[in-house]
Amino acid sequence: MSIPARKGGLRHSKSKANRAWVVAMAASAFLAACGGGGGGSSGGDAGPSGEVSNPLDQALADDAVSVSGVNLAGFNGSFAGLTLTLASGAFNTDSTAGLSVSVNGTLVDVSATLLQGNTAQATLVFEDGPNEIVADAVDAQGRPVHVRQMVWSGSNAISVPLQDGSAQAWAASTTVTASPSEDLAQAASAVGTSAVNFTHLPSRSAVLLQARSGMAMGVASVVASNGAAATLTLLDMAPKSAVDNLDFSKTDLSGWSVTGQSAQVTAGDGGASDRDLLLSTHGQTQPQVARHAFETPAGAQSVTVRYRYATSEDLQATDRRHADFFRLQLRTQAGQVAADTQTIWSLGANAFDSNGRTAWRALRVATNPAGDLVNLDAIVGNVFDGSQDSQLQIDSITVDTAVLKPSLAWDATQGGLTLATQVAGAPTADQAVRLYWAQGPNAAQKLGSALATLNVPQATASGASLSAHVDGALLAAPPAGATHLLAVVDDAAVAALADVRLLAGPNANLDTLGEKLTLALKAAARRAGVSQLAVAMTGMKPAELAHAMFLNLTRSSAPMADNVASQNQLFGAAGQAVIQVFSQQTQGKSLTEVLAARSSVEAAMTLAIEQQGPTQVLKHCADPSKLLIADVRKASLPDADSAARFQAALIALGATVADEAGRWHVQLALP
C-alpha cells in the first residue's frame, strides 16, 4: 500500500519527473523498543541540593587517555609494555590500589607497575591468539579511568614469496595484509616486491594473506610456524578468453583457465539446461583457481555472479588452523573491483546449513556502459591439510543492462535515515528496494520481514535518483543479533549501514550500562538520526565510589585531616556523612595503619553510601540493579532539533535527561 508522507514513518520524494512511492511495512511501536513506558522528564542536577561541582562528576575528554607499547592493528610478541598516558592531569601515584590490569580475564601482577605523573606502565604476557586487555586506574582526582583493547599475539615469523601466474618472481611494489582467519578485520601489512616478511604471527589460527599490486591480486593462507612460507601468486588482468562460456552451455570448461583437475561443470538446480561450475580443493593444499575473461557490450551496467560455498570441515572444531577459504573477485579494465574473501571461521558456523553449505551469495561489479573487459577469478583453498575438501559453486553469471544502486544514510536533519537508490539503465519491470535488519552486511544475513519498501516503477528513467525518509520510530526495536540495516534489491544489490555505535570515553565502562539503557540510547540515537554516541561517563557502583573517596582521603601530599576538610567541601550532606564514617574508622591511626585497613574502611564507607542513597552522595553513583546512568556528550547530536528528538525518545522510554554543560546526564530506573 502506498502511503502519503503525513500518515506513516516514511516520506517520498521526487527526482525530476520520477516519483518514488514508499510503502511502510509492519514495525513495532517505539515505546516497546526497550520495554519503557511514559513518565520520565528532563530535569536538573540529580545530586544533593546545594552540592558544589565535584571532580568525580566531571568527565575527562574522550582523547584524554592514550595507549602505547602494544600494536593495536597488527600482531604483538609474547610480552609487551603497556603504557597509559593522560593528556592532562595525573594518575593517583600513592599506590597501585587503584590500578587493575587483566589479559583475557587473568589479572596481571601490578606490584611492579610504574605509576609516575601522567603515565601508568605494566608488563603484559600475552597468550597465542587474541588477547583482551582491560585496564582500570584512578586519576589524581579519584576519577576511574577505563581502557579496553583487543590485540593479537604470536611468536612466529614467516617469509612470503610473491610470484606471477607463471611462477616467476614478482617485480612490482605489492602490499600484503595478514589477518587471523577468524578476524579478517585485524590486519598487519607489509610492502615488498619479490617477498614480504611478517613477525609475531599466532600458531592457534591460520593466517589469511591478501596481496594487491595495481590491478593484480592474490590470496593464500598459512599456519604460521618459524620458517614457514606461503607463496602468494598474483593474478594480473587477463585478455579476453578464446571461448565465451558464461552460462557453461558448452557443458565443459571451454574458455576457462583452471588449476589441475579441481573444476567441473555439473547439473544445477534450475532444470535440465542449467549448468553450474564446481571448483573444489580436490585434496590439494595449494589454492585452486578457475578464471574466465569476457567482454560486456555497450549498454551493460554491471556483471553479477551468483554462488555459494561448501565445506566438509568440522564447523564446531576449536582448532582454528583448519581454516579453508574462498575468494571470488571481479575486475574490469575500467578499474572497478568487487571481491568476497572469507574463511570458514570468518563466516561462522551459523552461515552453513546441515550439509555444510552457505546460502546463495551474489557479487556485482559495475562496468563501463561503453563496453568493458571483465576478469572473473574463483579461488578455493585447503589450509593445514587436505583431508577435508571445500567447494565454490558458481550458479550464474549475468550481464545486467539495468540495475538499481541502493544506499542508506543516517539523517540527522529529520531523524531516522534516508533510503535511496540510483537507477542505471532502463528498468524492464517494476522493482523495489526493501529495508531490513540484519546480523551482518550481506543479503543472506537479513532478519525478519521488511521494515519499509521504496518502489521503483518500470517507467523510471535511467539516471534517476529516488529517495525516501524512514522515521527513527520504525527502527526502535531491532531483532536479537541485529548489527546492520540493509537496503536490498537482490542478493547482489545491497547497501549496508552499521547500527548505532556507543563510543566509550576514558571514564565510561559500557559493560555497566545494562541491556535496557544500551537499547534505549541506541533507539534514541536512531530517532535523532545519528550514527554514534560518545558516552563520556557511566555510573559508579557504591563500592567504586567508596574506593575513590578513600584514595582522595589518604593522599600522601597532605595530612589526613586536611584531606578530610577539602573533601567535605566537595560533597553535600550525604557525602559528608560518608566521610564521617571514614573519620570514625580511622580515628587515632597513622596513614600506614589506615592503608593497611583499606578493605574494612571501604566496606564501612560502601554501607554508608548505600544507606544515604548513592545518587545523593554523588550524581554518578548508583546501584546498577536499581538505576542505570550514562552521560552522553552533546557533540554527538549535531543541532538542537536532533538533540530534542534524542531527549524526547529517552523520556518516552522512561528515562530522565538532565541538561549539563557539554553533556546529557541520563538516568534510567529499573523496576
Side-chain angles (χ1 to χ4, degrees):
M1 178 181 68
S2 299
I3 56 172
R6 66 179 180 274
K7 289 187 178 178
L10 295 138
R11 298 181 176 87
H12 65 268
S13 59
K14 296 188 292 182
S15 176
K16 299 181 180 179
N18 299 293
R19 175 171 297 177
W21 293 102
V22 181
V23 181
M25 308 298 285
S28 300
F30 181 69
L31 290 180
C34 303
S41 62
S42 179
D45 193 288
S49 177
E51 178 186 328
V52 298
S53 178
N54 191 314
L56 295 178
D57 271 326
Q58 304 305 311
L60 292 167
D62 288 340
D63 59 355
V65 181
S66 60
V67 178
S68 59
V70 294
N71 189 336
L72 301 178
F75 296 94
N76 295 268
S78 300
F79 299 89
L82 174 71
T83 299
L84 305 180
T85 303
L86 288 175
S88 61
F91 286 106
N92 183 309
T93 59
D94 283 340
S95 73
T96 58
L99 182 65
S100 171
V101 181
S102 67
V103 176
N104 286 340
T106 301
L107 287 174
V108 175
D109 182 4
V110 296
S111 60
T113 298
L114 178 62
L115 281 170
Q116 186 174 15
N118 68 333
T119 63
Q121 297 176 323
T123 300
L124 307 182
V125 179
F126 291 139
E127 300 176 7
D128 182 272
N131 293 264
E132 184 183 47
I133 303 170
V134 178
D136 290 285
V138 177
D139 75 356
Q141 301 294 330
R143 291 174 291 196
V145 176
H146 183 76
V147 174
R148 184 188 300 267
Q149 296 285 355
M150 180 67 77
V151 302
W152 277 78
S153 173
S155 57
N156 301 299
I158 65 170
S159 176
V160 184
L162 307 177
Q163 66 179 28
D164 63 17
S166 300
Q168 300 300 306
W170 193 257
S173 178
T174 304
T175 299
V176 181
T177 60
S179 302
S181 61
E182 62 221 79
D183 185 6
L184 300 186
Q186 185 83 12
S189 63
V191 179
T193 51
S194 60
V196 296
N197 299 304
F198 290 98
T199 58
H200 306 315
L201 297 183
S203 298
R204 62 152 274 168
S205 174
V207 175
L208 189 74
L209 304 168
Q210 299 184 71
R212 180 162 185 176
S213 178
M215 289 295 288
M217 298 179 180
V219 62
S221 188
V222 62
V223 175
S225 61
N226 283 319
T231 301
L232 257 172
T233 300
L234 282 92
L235 302 177
D236 214 338
M237 289 287 290
K240 181 179 182 295
S241 299
V243 177
D244 284 329
N245 193 11
L246 290 184
D247 58 0
F248 314 115
S249 59
K250 309 295 183 184
T251 69
D252 59 20
L253 294 168
S254 298
W256 287 78
S257 173
V258 178
T259 302
Q261 303 298 314
S262 58
Q264 58 180 314
V265 174
T266 65
D269 55 10
S273 62
D274 184 29
R275 296 287 186 271
D276 291 356
L277 173 67
L278 196 62
L279 179 66
S280 171
T281 53
H282 203 64
Q284 303 298 308
T285 56
Q286 294 298 316
Q288 304 298 293
V289 182
R291 309 185 68 193
H292 190 59
F294 55 94
E295 293 177 344
T296 57
Q301 302 294 329
S302 63
V303 171
T304 302
V305 181
R306 186 173 186 257
Y307 59 100
R308 68 182 174 189
Y309 178 65
T311 185
S312 56
E313 294 284 2
D314 181 0
L315 298 171
Q316 304 302 323
T318 57
D319 188 344
R320 293 298 196 258
R321 294 175 299 175
H322 298 270
D324 290 11
F325 68 92
F326 77 86
R327 179 178 176 89
L328 187 72
Q329 60 189 29
L330 291 165
R331 295 172 292 167
T332 75
Q333 193 170 52
Q336 297 296 313
V337 177
D340 184 11
T341 307
Q342 302 288 344
T343 74
I344 60 174
W345 306 124
S346 66
L347 287 167
N350 290 336
F352 296 86
D353 62 19
S354 59
N355 294 313
R357 298 180 303 192
T358 68
W360 288 107
R361 303 166 72 90
L363 187 69
R364 175 174 291 164
V365 68
T367 57
N368 186 341
D372 215 335
L373 172 68
V374 179
N375 274 206
L376 186 161
D377 305 311
I379 306 168
V380 291
N382 257 331
V383 184
F384 195 54
D385 62 39
S387 62
Q388 301 294 328
D389 282 332
S390 293
Q391 299 172 332
L392 191 62
Q393 181 180 0
I394 297 178
D395 176 62
S396 63
I397 306 164
T398 58
V399 177
D400 311 306
T401 57
V403 293
L404 302 184
K405 301 177 181 180
S407 63
L408 283 174
W410 295 108
D411 184 356
T413 301
Q414 300 180 81
L417 55 78
T418 299
L419 174 65
T421 189
Q422 290 183 320
V423 181
T428 58
D430 292 346
Q431 297 188 66
V433 184
R434 293 181 173 84
L435 179 67
Y436 293 90
W437 280 109
Q439 56 186 359
N442 300 310
Q445 296 172 296
K446 62 182 183 287
L447 300 169
S449 58
L451 302 169
T453 300
L454 171 62
N455 287 328
V456 182
Q458 179 181 347
T460 305
S462 178
S465 296
L466 311 178
S467 63
H469 172 245
V470 181
D471 193 280
L474 290 175
L475 311 174
T483 60
H484 289 73
L485 286 151
L486 301 184
V488 178
V489 179
D490 53 41
D491 288 347
V494 180
L497 182 67
D499 192 17
V500 172
R501 296 177 59 208
L502 301 182
L503 306 180
N507 299 130
N509 182 350
L510 299 183
D511 289 344
T512 68
L513 292 179
E515 182 182 19
K516 189 170 184 179
L517 183 53
T518 298
L519 291 174
L521 289 172
K522 289 187 175 184
R526 297 184 205 107
R527 193 68 178 264
V530 296
S531 63
Q532 59 189 32
L533 296 175
V535 180
M537 296 186 74
T538 50
M540 298 175 66
K541 297 177 183 178
E544 293 171 333
L545 176 56
H547 179 59
M549 294 176 71
F550 179 90
L551 293 178
N552 287 337
L553 290 164
T554 56
R555 291 175 182 168
S556 60
S557 58
M560 274 194 293
D562 292 352
N563 290 336
V564 168
S566 63
Q567 290 297 303
N568 271 323
Q569 294 177 3
L570 298 177
F571 287 90
Q576 291 169 6
V578 177
I579 295 172
Q580 179 62 29
V581 170
F582 169 85
S583 297
Q584 292 169 353
Q585 291 285 318
T586 61
Q587 185 175 6
K589 295 180 180 178
S590 67
L591 178 59
T592 301
E593 293 171 328
V594 171
L595 293 175
R598 179 174 65 85
S599 296
S600 61
V601 175
E602 288 186 5
M605 296 172 68
T606 300
L607 179 59
I609 292 170
E610 294 169 345
Q611 292 173 338
Q612 293 293 326
T615 56
Q616 295 303 305
V617 178
L618 188 78
K619 186 183 306 180
H620 289 87
C621 183
D623 179 345
S625 67
K626 299 177 181 177
L627 183 68
L628 302 172
I629 294 175
D631 277 18
V632 176
R633 293 201 183 278
K634 288 184 177 179
S636 301
L637 292 309
D639 54 39
D641 288 341
S642 61
R645 288 191 296 271
F646 176 73
Q647 293 179 80
L650 285 171
I651 291 169
L653 291 168
T656 62
V657 185
D659 184 350
E660 298 183 348
R663 291 175 285 155
W664 301 112
H665 180 70
V666 181
Q667 294 186 353
L668 184 63
L670 298 177

